[in-house]
Amino acid sequence: MTAPESNQSVESLKDDIQRHVALTLGSDPFPPRKGRYYLGLCYSVRDRLLGQWLETQRSYYDSITKRVYYMSLEFLPGRFLMNYIQALGMEEECREAVRDFGLDLDELLEEEWNPGLGNGGLGRLASCYMDSMATCRIPGYGYGILYDYGIFYQTIVNGYQHEGADNWLRQDSPWVLRRGHFMFLINFYGRSEAYEDSAGHERFRWVDTESVMAMACDIMVPGHQNGHVTNMRLWKAISTRDFELEHFNRGDYIGAVQSKVESENISKVLYPNDTSPRGKELRLRQQYFFVAATFQDILRRFRKNNYSSFDCFPDQVAVQLNDTHPAISIAELMRILVDEESLTWETAWTICQKTFSYTNHTVLPEALETWSVELIGRMLPRHLQIIFEINRRFLDDVGKRFPGRVDLLRSLSLIAEDNGKQVRMAHLAIIGSHTVNGVAELHSKILKTRLFKDFDNLYPGKFTNVTNGITPRRWLMQANPALSELIGSVIGDEWIHDLSHLSELAAYADDPEFQQRWQEVRKRNKKLLARYVLRKLGVGINPATLFDMHIKRIHEYKRQILNVLHVITLYNRIRSGSVAHHVPRTLFFAGKAAPGYMQAKLIIKLINAVGQAVNGDPAVGNDLRVVFLPNYCVSQAEKLIPAADLSEQISTAGMEASGTGNMKFALNGALTIGTLDGANIEIREVVGEDNFFLFGHTEEDVHRLHSGGYDPVQIYESNIELKKALDMISTGFFSPEAPGLFRPIVDSLLAHGDYYLVLADYAKYVAEQARVSKCYEDPALWTRMSILNTANMGKFSSDRSIMEYARNIWKVSPLT
Ligand code: 475
């Protein structure tokens, strides 16, 4: 596969780069400049993939195979250029080509802007799955929205988070292929009108609608050196001509342009996952926009294959709903099948249930989506009618099976009544799907035994688990070239396609020579990161210290506060000289807080304030440093993770559905300090109890403590170090200019019951951290643990996850 074909030679690459600089960009190729040559290289690499992409798409038609539609409002693909280069197996050629122009490939790569089309875990998972679908040759597509503005750009000003607009398409992206000929009309508002068909049956049609066009924009997702290129199709809103004409005819030019602009707002901006997602009309418009466009595309392809009946639709189409964000799909497919294709309700419903499957990503009650009946009724009147009819039939059925159980009807209904009438999107997704999965074993168990217990009783076997995974291509091969090379030198490169091969490393865990090489690679990565931090923040950090990282969205359940309390405790111990000797640590924090989540934003300020106090205290010196890296994103994660010694995975047990950062760290040889939550449990199972730092209450403990009897104040009173740390926060030690600034944080822990059980886990966490330091002082032990972490991570490849989805849920096989 890697054997250079003619267009893979350095010379042909150089010709193409210069040709693109001159003829695509219209720029003078001399002298070679970074920005232009970066683009020239992008177009040259793109050319080499486009042929494979066309061939792959054609092969789907030729084999008339079942296809997977992965529907997600979010994707976080990270930078593309290196991913494409490595997929083509052309890294050396590209390095040499640009070197000949006096440029450096690594510098060119930094020119690319991160497409931040997602919030965090859910979006990044979707992109890992796209990579694995392509590498495993699963025929499928990703579908989403091409937002003009991705997740906000975070800066830290005086310790506070500031949000800036992320206008990532400001300069056209070479990776986005606009398909002006794939445009679909999308309707909104209007009303549902009853009429009688020729056979005298009552039927409905959706009339008096407002409309907008959805234009397809495609991004290639290549498999790793296998010639398979999957398509990610993102929709962009374009105003309709009709809309304009109507205004123009009335002589209202400005009105025409204004409504054009407004209708195009649909794909303008990604919604940050704020504490409460309710009531955002534009968000529901986005959801339906992308669903309606995607289904027109799905049906276009289905029809192209000349099917005589819709009965075989589920044999051709599998639709995966990435959380409930695309769940309105179920009502949309019913509308198409019943209103437009004239199928009976029963037939249409059977087709729906055989087509959809739904992945849940969170059990936090505030994150479960609902839409008011009023809003859906206004924006999607026919869909609301359909949802009511689905609910009527469903509750009828439940009533027959469980007579007299009014409580059950209330808990299962698609409509919640307690807070004004709301449609529960998770309930719609569950009853409209054949399979519902959680994303780690514990999470899937919680879905069955707590959150959706009644549904599990009703539909035994519908709930299942697919533990998340990450792509080894981006998260080891690309992010950590030095470690990849070391691994390759002893076990070869098969792990890139089949991560289980990493287990062969275990044989080297105690080999002193291998250990030394392992340590050298890790040291080198830490030095690279130290240089990056110095460049970005002007802060010097010592690569010889223990690199302790807590990088993820800022949320109370992820308990950055627990980490901060540990930092303050270390600080106090250093200052009082109460530790015989301390293992020097550098604490890394990174992550965004939802713009409307005040407590999370205050936590960011606290981290920075503690950092300022600690870093500025001469008594501390090198022993403790705290850095907060602004604007966490995929590219930043790629720099941080390979340099981590310790990975903080310390959520309240039962609250982190899976986590995927935890997998990235362990794969790169960091050790985890973590609770029995999400995929931590499964990571610990495979790497071994001895190679994992465990602490904290279990999910069952948490459930019990939440049922009553938990008293954080008593813990505070009885733990001197904890009391001191909290008192420092609440009395303004870290905010002398505003002593009461951090009171809300301390109040949430003491006055408001400490819902996330920070105090309950504090003592065990601090004790386990001491064990971390002790192990770190024994390099042979630490290195052995590190190697064994990497060696045992085979299970967490997203290739494994995707093959489980393919076999057990989608019923599709890889193309041969
Ligand atoms: C979980 N995002 C992780 C990851 O499965 C898990 C919610 C509402 C609106 C927009 N985005 C969201 C999430 O819910 C999310 O990212 N969930 C995460 O999904 C992949 O590993 O535990 O928190």
Side-chain angles (χ1 to χ4, degrees):
M1 265 306 170
T2 45
E5 294 162 23
S6 60
N7 74 351
Q8 294 208 322
S9 73
V10 175
E11 282 315 310
S12 81
L13 200 54
K14 284 170 66 180
D15 287 348
D16 284 353
I17 293 171
Q18 291 197 315
R19 186 172 51 82
H20 276 299
V21 169
L23 302 182
T24 306
L25 304 175
S27 284
D28 190 339
F30 297 104
R33 283 190 217 279
K34 203 162 65 177
R36 290 172 206 165
Y37 272 62
Y38 154 71
L39 278 174
L41 177 61
C42 288
Y43 286 113
S44 308
V45 169
R46 191 179 86 169
D47 290 348
R48 284 157 176 75
L49 270 181
L50 274 169
Q52 297 186 0
W53 179 83
L54 288 171
E55 215 169 290
T56 305
Q57 301 307 312
R58 197 176 309 127
S59 73
Y60 290 2
Y61 284 104
D62 294 347
S63 56
I64 314 191
T65 170
K66 182 172 184 177
R67 296 156 202 208
V68 178
Y69 292 87
Y70 196 88
M71 294 184 70
S72 179
L73 265 189
E74 304 192 4
F75 289 94
L76 280 172
R79 289 174 174 153
F80 292 102
L81 180 53
M82 192 51 154
N83 176 246
Y84 286 3
I85 290 175
Q86 292 188 336
L88 286 163
M90 290 184 66
E91 184 172 345
E92 275 326 302
E93 291 78 1
C94 289
R95 280 194 192 282
E96 196 178 324
V98 300
R99 203 185 302 125
D100 285 355
F101 293 127
L103 297 166
D104 174 58
L105 181 63
D106 294 316
E107 276 182 35
L108 293 198
L109 296 174
E110 291 291 319
E111 291 286 300
E112 187 172 348
W113 197 256
N114 265 267
L117 308 184
N119 274 284
L122 170 152
R124 180 54 229 176
L125 184 77
S127 285
C128 279
Y129 282 177
M130 293 301 298
D131 181 279
S132 284
M133 283 194 351
T135 296
C136 299
R137 299 170 177 277
I138 297 296
Y141 310 85
Y143 273 90
I145 292 180
L146 187 78
Y147 303 103
D148 293 337
Y149 293 86
I151 184 76
F152 63 87
Y153 191 95
Q154 179 197 54
T155 52
I156 302 294
V157 180
N158 186 27
Y160 288 100
Q161 166 173 301
H162 280 215
E163 296 104 28
D166 166 58
N167 188 1
W168 76 291
L169 289 174
R170 184 176 36 221
Q171 291 163 324
D172 266 347
S173 165
W175 313 125
V176 179
L177 301 153
R178 295 161 63 109
R179 307 282 186 206
H181 51 290
F182 282 125
M183 291 258 225
F184 294 113
L185 194 68
I186 313 296
N187 293 311
F188 294 98
Y189 305 105
R191 60 196 170 84
S192 173
E193 181 180 78
Y195 69 101
E196 211 169 81
D197 69 10
S198 52
H201 297 127
E202 184 185 54
R203 300 169 51 98
F204 293 89
R205 58 187 161 218
W206 187 11
V207 297
D208 297 339
T209 54
E210 284 176 23
S211 46
V212 62
M213 305 295 293
M215 180 172 83
C217 300
D218 292 344
I219 297 181
M220 294 184 283
V221 181
H224 185 70
Q225 297 183 13
N226 67 355
H228 192 106
V229 182
T230 294
N231 195 22
M232 178 160 75
R233 177 155 286 182
L234 305 179
W235 300 106
K236 179 176 170 56
I238 306 279
S239 75
T240 63
R241 299 290 311 281
D242 295 357
F243 211 27
E244 292 165 40
L245 286 176
E246 195 187 297
H247 285 269
F248 284 131
N249 291 342
R250 282 192 266 124
D252 180 11
Y253 170 71
I254 293 295
V257 175
Q258 202 168 341
S259 43
K260 181 179 156 77
V261 168
E262 270 162 28
S263 68
E264 291 179 353
N265 275 344
I266 293 181
S267 58
K268 205 49 88 185
V269 56
L270 166 79
Y271 270 91
N273 54 347
D274 267 315
T275 37
S276 153
R278 275 169 253 292
K280 312 265 166 49
E281 184 156 343
L282 183 58
R283 169 78 172 177
L284 181 62
R285 277 218 277 171
Q286 289 184 337
Q287 295 186 350
Y288 181 68
F289 166 77
F290 126 84
V291 160
T294 303
F295 271 86
Q296 291 186 62
D297 214 23
I298 294 174
L299 286 161
R300 175 186 64 81
R301 274 196 206 104
F302 179 71
R303 292 202 182 94
K304 216 159 140 180
N305 282 333
N306 280 324
Y307 285 103
S308 48
S309 140
F310 270 92
D311 292 339
C312 57
F313 188 79
D315 305 324
Q316 292 299 308
V317 176
V319 177
Q320 188 68 36
L321 304 173
N322 198 22
D323 217 289
T324 55
H325 316 151
I328 194 71
S329 293
I330 291 163
E332 173 69 355
L333 185 57
M334 285 301 286
R335 188 191 65 78
I336 294 170
L337 296 178
V338 173
D339 293 359
E340 293 179 3
E341 303 294 337
S342 306
L343 267 53
T344 65
W345 183 277
E346 291 74 12
T347 309
W349 186 242
T350 305
I351 291 171
C352 264
Q353 285 187 315
K354 285 184 176 172
T355 300
F356 290 107
S357 43
Y358 152 55
T359 305
N360 172 285
H361 294 268
T362 179
V363 296
L364 300 184
E366 67 271 22
L368 295 176
E369 261 192 316
T370 60
W371 291 108
S372 80
V373 163
E374 182 278 326
L375 177 57
I376 298 193
R378 190 156 47 78
M379 186 185 301
L380 304 167
R382 178 60 185 137
H383 296 78
L384 183 65
Q385 240 179 348
I386 288 169
I387 288 168
F388 280 153
E389 181 61 13
I390 293 171
N391 199 34
R392 188 187 66 75
R393 289 169 182 252
F394 168 64
L395 294 182
D396 252 19
D397 186 47
V398 176
K400 279 190 203 121
R401 285 173 61 185
F402 303 91
R405 291 285 307 278
V406 183
D407 59 316
L408 198 60
L409 296 182
R410 193 170 310 125
S411 92
L412 292 173
S413 174
L414 295 192
I415 312 295
E417 311 263 357
D418 30 355
N419 192 2
K421 283 196 176 184
Q422 302 271 335
V423 179
R424 295 159 161 160
M425 300 310 275
H427 292 203
L428 177 61
I430 293 169
I431 74 169
S433 297
H434 55 84
T435 306
V436 178
N437 76 285
V439 290
E441 275 165 20
L442 175 68
H443 171 233
S444 298
K445 189 180 117 199
I446 293 171
L447 293 185
K448 279 172 43 149
T449 57
R450 302 203 203 283
L451 200 59
F452 300 132
K453 183 162 184 248
D454 293 333
F455 281 108
D456 183 52
N457 284 336
L458 202 61
Y459 303 120
K462 183 180 275 209
F463 286 82
T464 184
N465 173 250
V466 181
T467 297
N468 284 167
I470 55 171
T471 167
R473 270 75 63 185
R474 183 170 294 265
W475 294 110
L476 185 52
M477 184 181 68
Q478 185 181 322
N480 201 341
L483 197 66
S484 301
E485 202 186 307
L486 172 58
I487 292 170
S489 75
V490 292
I491 67 165
D493 286 339
E494 258 150 297
W495 60 270
I496 298 170
H497 287 101
D498 178 355
L499 201 61
S500 64
H501 280 276
L502 286 183
S503 63
E504 294 159 31
L505 284 176
Y508 298 85
D510 291 307
D511 174 341
E513 193 213 310
F514 186 73
Q515 279 211 350
Q516 198 199 331
R517 290 168 72 196
W518 191 268
Q519 283 169 11
E520 274 160 18
V521 166
R522 304 192 48 75
K523 230 176 267 164
R524 177 181 167 277
N525 290 343
K526 289 169 77 173
K527 278 190 192 146
L528 282 175
L529 178 62
R531 242 185 274 157
Y532 172 79
V533 171
L534 186 63
R535 211 169 51 234
K536 287 277 161 188
L537 299 182
V539 176
I541 54 175
N542 182 351
T545 59
L546 191 164
F547 279 14
D548 178 347
M549 297 195 186
H550 204 166
I551 56 175
K552 50 183 79 238
R553 287 300 285 253
I554 312 294
H555 200 294
E556 287 164 283
Y557 85 80
K558 296 180 189 277
R559 298 201 295 191
Q560 280 89 359
I561 282 295
L562 181 56
N563 191 341
V564 169
L565 288 172
H566 174 242
V567 173
I568 299 173
T569 303
L570 289 181
Y571 178 50
N572 289 336
R573 287 181 186 175
I574 294 169
R575 286 199 309 160
S576 68
S578 69
V579 270
H581 65 279
H582 164 80
V583 173
R585 286 197 192 213
T586 304
L587 267 292
F588 295 80
F589 290 89
K592 295 177 182 179
Y597 188 176
M598 290 310 154
Q599 194 78 344
K601 294 175 102 169
L602 196 57
I603 291 170
I604 292 182
K605 172 67 179 168
L606 178 63
I607 294 168
N608 282 291
V610 170
Q612 204 176 13
V614 169
N615 301 346
D617 189 334
V620 174
N622 247 333
D623 282 353
L624 191 59
R625 296 234 140 212
V626 180
V627 291
F628 188 100
L629 283 154
N631 204 40
Y632 183 57
C633 60
V634 173
S635 293
Q636 197 181 81
E638 290 173 30
K639 294 188 170 74
L640 286 165
I641 290 169
D645 294 306
L646 187 66
S647 152
E648 299 273 351
Q649 308 300 337
I650 62 176
S651 50
T652 316
M655 296 198 183
E656 186 70 271
S658 160
T660 45
N662 47 3
M663 301 169 188
K664 294 162 198 167
F665 278 110
L667 179 63
N668 281 276
L671 304 190
T672 306
I673 183 162
T675 47
L676 285 177
D677 198 13
N680 294 354
I681 298 173
E682 292 158 73
I683 293 175
R684 178 167 170 267
E685 244 162 51
V686 299
V687 305
E689 293 173 17
D690 295 343
N691 302 312
F692 189 103
F693 298 102
L694 178 71
F695 75 97
H697 288 84
T698 64
E699 189 268 336
E700 268 148 25
D701 298 335
V702 171
H703 193 68
R704 188 171 38 77
L705 291 173
H706 277 166
S707 316
Y710 174 53
D711 181 7
V713 176
Q714 190 248 320
I715 299 176
Y716 161 82
E717 297 291 358
S718 60
N719 187 318
I720 299 169
E721 287 193 305
L722 172 62
K723 182 167 187 305
K724 176 153 190 210
L726 285 169
D727 290 348
M728 285 164 77
I729 298 173
S730 63
T731 57
F733 182 91
F734 300 106
S735 54
E737 73 293 349
L741 182 63
F742 297 121
R743 271 242 64 105
I745 290 178
V746 178
D747 283 349
S748 79
L749 300 175
L750 295 178
H752 305 146
D754 184 19
Y755 183 74
Y756 301 96
L757 304 176
V758 173
L759 272 51
D761 279 344
Y762 168 85
K764 292 267 169 61
Y765 176 59
V766 171
E768 194 62 12
Q769 286 283 19
R771 211 169 72 79
V772 169
S773 292
K774 198 153 178 291
C775 286
Y776 193 73
E777 283 186 304
D778 181 347
L781 172 65
W782 186 276
T783 308
R784 172 192 151 81
M785 292 169 79
S786 167
I787 296 169
L788 288 175
N789 265 262
T790 303
N792 289 303
M793 285 301 288
K795 168 178 173 184
F796 297 97
S797 167
S798 45
D799 300 345
R800 186 268 312 151
S801 312
I802 277 299
M803 290 313 293
E804 284 182 19
Y805 277 102
R807 256 193 309 272
N808 305 332
I809 299 181
W810 303 331
K811 317 282 183 205
V812 300
S813 333
L815 290 180
T816 44

